[in-house]
Amino acid sequence: MKEVNIKTSDVYTELMARLKYPISERFRRVLQKLVTPEEGKLLLELPAEPAELAQKSGLDEEAVQRKLQEFMERGLVIRTSKGLFCFARDMTQLHDSNLSSAEKWIDTELLDLWKEFRDGEWLQTMAGGLGDSYVQFIKVLPAWKAMERSPDLGELLPEEDIRELIRGADPVAVVSCTCRRSIRKCDLPLDVCLQFNRGAEYAINRGAGRRLSAEEAIAIAGESEEAGLIHTWASGVSRRLTAICNCCRDCCDIFAIGIEVGTIEQILEKSRFRAEVDQDLCTGCQDCVERCFFEAIEMKDSPPSKKLKATIDEGKCFGCGLCAVVCEPEAITMKLVQT
Ligand code: SF4
Ligand code: SF4
Ligand code: SF4
């Protein structure tokens, strides 16, 4: 390979700069695990078409094609519709696409390095970067099973009905949840991260995602609700639907920043709905209490009943519907609070 004008010792520093992340020893260790210095030099030559990269690197074009395909499978590069290969846009994109890659590209050492980086600095960096701003780039989509149990809702908007969002996308795919895969604090379902349109094409083309029919994807959304996972859509990042996450409280970056650091209201937009309890139907089983990520449900005296009954603090409720899904006597329904 021809000498590209970057010293080997500086490749990882250059990669961090390209990913818009400050110099970090933990992130360097992730990058060193992900790419050799020679591979790093190739990435720094992007964006490029294979022929151009072959010329720059001195490799033959076929070898470059193979390497770029491998980079794509490992979640390091994306290919634009014009056939141009680009390195990950930033550290977050690299994290998400690398960790959702097929099993053969992921080992425990890599998962541990990402986890060490995330726990050791990334969460604090992200939380600190928010300051006092309310960016709310992620929104809660209510559980469709909760909406089905709530008779008086009227028409849902297409962008808040997960089933309509799924039916309107083509193609649809599922990949592993990157947070649960690396953090490993819970045993909730892993293969539930739904991808749509461009996001699904990318996942399928690089062997990371399994193509789904709309009804299969709706079933996965329903199973996620039953398991206690919240649907979230990063609609503030792109209005074009590329993914819907099914998030847990223990591993998810969003909830780790939001709940542990106390900035959840700054980043997460509530749905237009809130849960309410019909106390005559509530048996006091408490199944809903544990389900709520936001501690919005308390068991309180409800005379003349001798049992404690569930009560919702509407101010804390984000309208996810998970409590309604688990409530066997269907004492919890969702009500519209914003038009
Ligand atoms: S944001 Fe939620 S679903 Fe998406 S990868 Fe993280 S935990 Fe998984
Ligand atoms: S799950 Fe339903 S029945 Fe059980 S405490 Fe909650 S509201 Fe009451
Ligand atoms: S009370 Fe909690 S679990 Fe129920 S809808 Fe509100 S945020 Fe979700």
Side-chain angles (χ1 to χ4, degrees):
M1 188 187 293
K2 266 191 217 159
E3 252 317 295
V4 184
N5 195 19
I6 294 164
K7 286 189 195 132
T8 297
S9 59
D10 289 333
V11 164
Y12 298 104
T13 308
E14 291 288 323
L15 288 169
M16 281 186 255
R18 282 283 294 276
L19 293 165
K20 305 178 196 79
Y21 199 83
I23 304 286
S24 147
E25 272 316 302
R26 290 189 186 91
F27 191 32
R28 177 184 292 275
R29 285 197 284 277
V30 173
L31 291 172
Q32 284 172 331
K33 168 72 180 165
L34 278 179
V35 292
T36 64
E38 293 305 309
E39 289 174 329
K41 286 180 196 171
L42 282 179
L43 290 172
L44 288 170
E45 293 297 334
L46 301 177
E49 287 173 0
E52 190 189 344
L53 189 59
Q55 202 191 18
K56 282 180 178 169
S57 64
L59 291 170
D60 70 71
E61 199 176 327
E62 223 174 277
V64 166
Q65 288 273 16
R66 275 199 306 276
K67 185 49 85 178
L68 287 170
Q69 177 61 28
E70 183 196 311
F71 281 166
M72 210 163 78
E73 289 180 21
R74 290 158 60 192
L76 309 177
V77 304
I78 56 156
R79 185 171 52 206
T80 67
S81 51
K82 291 186 179 137
L84 204 63
F85 285 83
C86 304
F87 184 32
R89 181 183 59 229
D90 53 27
M91 193 279 300
T92 306
Q93 191 182 63
L94 179 76
H95 170 272
D96 291 354
S97 54
N98 174 242
L99 281 171
S100 57
S101 301
E103 202 74 45
K104 67 175 175 178
W105 301 115
I106 305 287
D107 63 23
T108 309
E109 187 190 353
L110 179 63
L111 295 177
D112 288 345
L113 286 166
W114 273 121
K115 182 176 185 317
E116 184 205 26
F117 166 64
R118 181 253 203 200
D119 290 347
E121 65 186 80
W122 184 26
L123 288 186
Q124 288 86 337
T125 308
M126 281 202 285
L130 275 175
D132 294 332
S133 58
Y134 275 67
V135 283
Q136 293 192 330
F137 60 98
I138 297 159
K139 75 183 201 183
V140 169
L141 293 174
W144 67 261
K145 292 195 169 194
M147 303 319 255
E148 271 195 347
R149 291 174 182 195
S150 307
D152 303 322
L153 287 175
E155 285 274 296
L156 290 184
L157 301 174
E159 68 268 24
E160 66 193 1
D161 185 340
I162 189 168
R163 290 168 300 181
E164 286 312 305
L165 287 168
I166 291 172
R167 289 189 184 117
D170 182 29
V172 179
V174 64
V175 298
S176 286
C177 159
T178 60
C179 303
R180 280 192 289 289
R181 200 176 201 185
S182 60
I183 302 306
R184 293 160 282 167
K185 270 198 202 162
C186 72
D187 56 4
L188 291 166
L190 198 60
D191 292 330
V192 293
C193 232
L194 296 171
Q195 308 289 307
F196 305 99
N197 305 316
R198 249 178 338 119
E201 263 164 36
Y202 177 59
I204 294 164
N205 289 342
R206 68 189 194 90
R210 180 164 57 88
R211 187 187 289 272
L212 299 176
S213 68
E215 294 315 305
E216 285 171 325
I218 291 169
I220 287 180
E223 284 156 22
S224 300
E225 294 166 8
E226 299 279 358
L229 300 170
I230 292 190
H231 307 311
T232 60
W233 172 20
S235 58
V237 176
S238 168
R239 289 300 301 165
R240 295 182 59 200
L241 182 68
T242 53
I244 291 177
C245 280
N246 288 304
C247 301
C248 63
R249 182 172 22 188
D250 292 333
C251 312
C252 178
D253 296 335
I254 303 160
F255 290 99
I257 303 173
I259 294 175
E260 284 168 28
V261 188
T263 52
I264 196 70
E265 300 233 359
Q266 286 174 252
I267 52 178
L268 191 64
E269 184 185 336
K270 297 178 177 187
S271 80
R272 295 190 305 144
F273 308 92
R274 301 291 177 270
E276 69 179 347
V277 180
D278 179 337
Q279 300 217 326
D280 291 338
L281 294 177
C282 174
T283 60
C285 71
Q286 306 199 19
D287 287 350
C288 54
V289 178
E290 273 302 299
R291 282 229 136 187
C292 183
F293 289 27
F294 311 99
E295 297 179 358
I297 310 176
E298 255 189 87
M299 301 305 292
K300 289 191 176 164
D301 284 329
S302 179
S305 170
K306 293 201 172 66
K307 286 182 184 163
L308 296 175
K309 305 266 182 164
T311 313
I312 313 259
D313 179 340
E314 208 178 277
K316 289 186 176 174
C317 174
F318 273 70
C320 70
L322 288 187
C323 53
V325 173
V326 82
C327 179
E328 255 183 51
E330 301 196 9
I332 304 182
T333 50
M334 305 303 287
K335 63 173 179 182
L336 182 69
V337 292
Q338 290 160 29
T339 48

